[in-house]
Amino acid sequence: GENVEQHPSTLSVQEGDSAVIKCTYSDSASNYFPWYKQELGKRPQLIIDIRSNVGEKKDQRIAVTLNKTAKHFSLHITETQPEDSAVYFCAASDSGAGSYQLTFGKGTKLSVIP
Amino acid sequence: SAVISQKPSRDICQRGTSLTIQCQVDSQVTMMFWYRQQPGQSLTLIATANQGSEATYESGFVIDKFPISRPNLTFSTLTVSNMSPEDSSIYLCSVLKDLGGYGYTFGSGTRLTVV
């Protein structure tokens, strides 16, 4: 089955700086890669996603890049703000296998220091 | 995206009892999933709830412990049976509205404490 590794497990940045979280996946058939933000006590919220036919996607301060050859994808947050503090999870899915299951990384706790 | 109502939001249960968690979606969805999230940990898939048939369980999860029903395209239940303190966790329902659009949505979760 799919295995998703996520690094770092914790990340502290100064407000206004950029944050980068990296994930690698094992199954070359995976074709969908979402990122979720989970604030304490709340449900995971989709913040951005990318499909395997795209190399990069941006949404305001958030961007995701995908390198299919290396089987890794990254989340980039620019101009970080205190409200970006949360746990971020990457995930991978192989729709081609028909299961549509999401496999999650272990998460990154991001702290933005004012 | 789909709106999910998950109940109960939290419960404290006695060892050896069972709890049934409900997941109601405001529209028909293609796929429904159940996850477990232990404190400070990531999300682990328990099973895929299949409409009108037995759920598909992941390694380490069995039907006798986590029976799942999905009678239609908008509703599913997860039962945690014969509970022990190790079952204390957050249980989350997730849905995929249609296969082409992706965008998995999560319920608000059920925080279960077994004493």
Side-chain angles (χ1 to χ4, degrees):
Chain A
E2 175 65 276
N3 182 51
V4 177
E5 299 283 341
Q6 182 173 347
H7 299 279
S9 57
T10 60
L11 179 61
S12 291
V13 299
Q14 292 289 330
E15 182 178 358
D17 287 350
S18 295
V20 180
I21 303 171
K22 299 181 178 182
C23 289
T24 60
Y25 59 99
S26 61
D27 187 351
S28 57
S30 289
N31 56 7
Y32 175 66
F33 307 92
W35 286 88
Y36 286 86
K37 175 183 180 182
Q38 188 175 34
E39 296 175 316
L40 190 63
K42 297 189 176 181
R43 77 188 78 190
Q45 296 274 11
L46 178 70
I47 56 171
I48 196 167
D49 57 8
I50 191 168
R51 302 190 192 189
S52 59
N53 59 348
V54 176
E56 183 177 4
K57 183 177 179 181
K58 290 183 179 180
D59 183 3
Q60 299 182 5
R61 297 187 295 110
I62 295 173
V64 56
T65 58
L66 171 65
N67 183 326
K68 287 178 57 180
T69 303
K71 291 190 284 187
H72 67 71
F73 56 112
S74 300
L75 177 71
H76 304 252
I77 305 175
T78 59
E79 301 173 13
T80 54
Q81 301 168 2
E83 51 265 38
D84 294 329
S85 296
V87 178
Y88 291 80
F89 292 99
C90 63
S93 173
D94 172 19
S95 63
S99 66
Y100 294 88
Q101 299 171 358
L102 282 178
T103 301
F104 285 84
K106 293 188 181 301
T108 297
K109 184 177 181 180
L110 173 65
S111 299
V112 179
I113 304 165
Chain B
S1 61
V3 176
I4 302 172
S5 173
Q6 187 174 336
K7 296 179 181 179
S9 58
R10 60 178 63 231
D11 207 340
I12 300 173
C13 299
Q14 294 291 324
R15 182 194 301 254
T17 63
S18 297
L19 175 71
T20 296
I21 302 167
Q22 297 182 359
C23 178
Q24 177 72 56
V25 193
D26 68 338
S27 57
Q28 292 185 349
V29 295
T30 304
M31 308 286 290
M32 297 184 78
F33 306 92
W34 287 98
Y35 286 85
R36 182 173 72 184
Q37 186 175 28
Q38 296 179 311
Q41 304 295 316
S42 184
L43 290 84
T44 300
L45 181 65
I46 297 172
T48 302
N50 299 310
Q51 192 257 329
S53 64
E54 189 173 294
T56 304
Y57 290 85
E58 296 303 301
S59 176
F61 299 96
V62 295
I63 188 171
D64 290 345
K65 176 67 175 178
F66 297 102
I68 288 170
S69 77
R70 188 182 173 191
N72 55 50
L73 295 177
T74 64
F75 184 77
S76 178
T77 66
L78 167 72
T79 299
V80 186
S81 302
N82 188 25
M83 289 184 285
S84 67
E86 292 71 35
D87 295 320
S88 297
S89 190
I90 297 173
Y91 293 85
L92 293 140
C93 169
S94 176
V95 304
L96 176 62
K97 188 169 178 63
D98 59 76
L99 302 182
Y102 296 94
Y104 298 72
T105 307
F106 285 86
S108 55
T110 296
R111 182 180 294 272
L112 170 63
T113 302
V114 183
V115 297

